[in-house]
Every structure is written in structure tokens, then in C-alpha cells.
Amino acid sequence: MRRGEERLADVAATAAVGARLAAVLRPGDVVTLTGGLGAGKTSLARGVLAALGLAGEAPSPTFAIVQPYDPPEVRLPILHVDLYRLDDPAEVDELGLEEARRDAALLVEWPERAGAGRWPEALALDLAMAPDGARRLTWEAPDAWDGRWPR
């Protein structure tokens, strides 16, 4: 397991991290995005989607819970998932995410709502607000991400 930290000065820097991530994503990958409300989780996911070719701004999946993106809209099938509204980790099983992972990558906001240890092979990104308005990105990359992250 490798760990690291990076300061993100603004939304553009957050989107740039998303673009770096998009360049290395593969079907079956899971990227978890943690952090408080307004920390930049959706901005980072939007950076990934834009770098994969999505025209326009991706909506937050807070109410849909799962927002799928498929070619030709993007170069790689992606499920943008927001688990904020789930009350019980068992509800995650009903979303069909493991089956969808065969062909798509998952970007999962609020992964802690899925229960501890749900995706041990995930690239875990955590965003926190700094006092000056910037964001602090910390990450944990398991062995499956060797050579891909950090980039």
C-alpha cells in the first residue's frame, strides 16, 4: 500500500487530478472518494468524466445514486455512484455494482456507507478543505495500482 498527499489550489487543480486518473482507469477499477460536503468529490469525478470525453458538466448522482456513462459519450464505461442517501450497507448489493464492474470503472462517493472493507482493492482518494479554501488530497493506492498511481 502506498500513500501520498497533494495540495489542490482550486477547482481546476481538482479537475486536473481527475484527468490524470482518467488516463489510467480500466474496467473493473474502483476509486473511492471520501471527504465532507463540499470537499470536491464531485468536482474530481467531473474531471475524470471530462477527460474521458463527456461533453458538458456531469450532474451529481446524489438523487439517482448511480449515474452510468457509456461509449460513445465517454471512452470508458463509468458508473458515478453517490452512496450518501443509503441507510444500510446491505442496500449497496441491490445496486448491481459488482456485476457492472466487469465492464466499467466505478467512481464511488461516500464509500463508507457501503460498510468497512467493501472495496479493498480500490484507489482511495480523500479530499479535505484547507483553511485558505484549497483542498488537500490524500490517497492510498493498493498494489493493484502499482505503476498507475500516483502518476
Side-chain angles (χ1 to χ4, degrees):
M1 179 78 66
R2 292 173 332 284
R3 292 175 172 79
E5 185 173 320
E6 184 174 340
R7 184 179 188 280
L8 306 175
D10 53 26
V11 173
T14 304
V17 169
R20 289 187 349 233
L21 180 55
V24 299
L25 274 178
R26 303 175 186 159
D29 283 342
V30 177
V31 178
T32 60
L33 304 167
T34 59
L37 289 171
K41 299 178 299 294
T42 300
S43 294
L44 196 147
R46 286 175 176 152
V48 170
L49 292 162
L52 291 173
L54 183 67
E57 187 172 272
S60 171
T62 300
F63 294 102
I65 300 176
V66 177
Q67 182 66 49
Y69 297 92
D70 293 302
E73 185 177 35
V74 289
R75 290 188 302 277
L76 168 76
I78 297 283
L79 293 179
H80 184 188
V81 182
D82 186 328
L83 301 178
Y84 183 76
R85 295 185 323 126
L86 297 189
D87 294 322
D88 183 339
E91 293 176 90
V92 174
D93 297 330
E94 298 170 22
L95 300 175
L97 300 178
E98 291 308 309
E99 182 177 320
R101 271 181 70 190
R102 290 184 214 146
D103 301 314
L106 305 181
L107 300 176
V108 183
E109 297 186 36
W110 301 98
E112 59 275 16
R113 303 229 180 207
R118 172 70 71 156
W119 294 288
E121 73 291 351
L123 173 63
L125 305 179
D126 181 75
L127 292 145
M129 291 181 269
D132 66 357
R135 302 295 187 263
R136 188 184 85 243
L137 170 69
T138 54
W139 53 266
E140 290 187 2
D143 293 343
W145 288 85
D146 276 355
R148 295 195 294 152
W149 193 267
R151 189 161 196 271

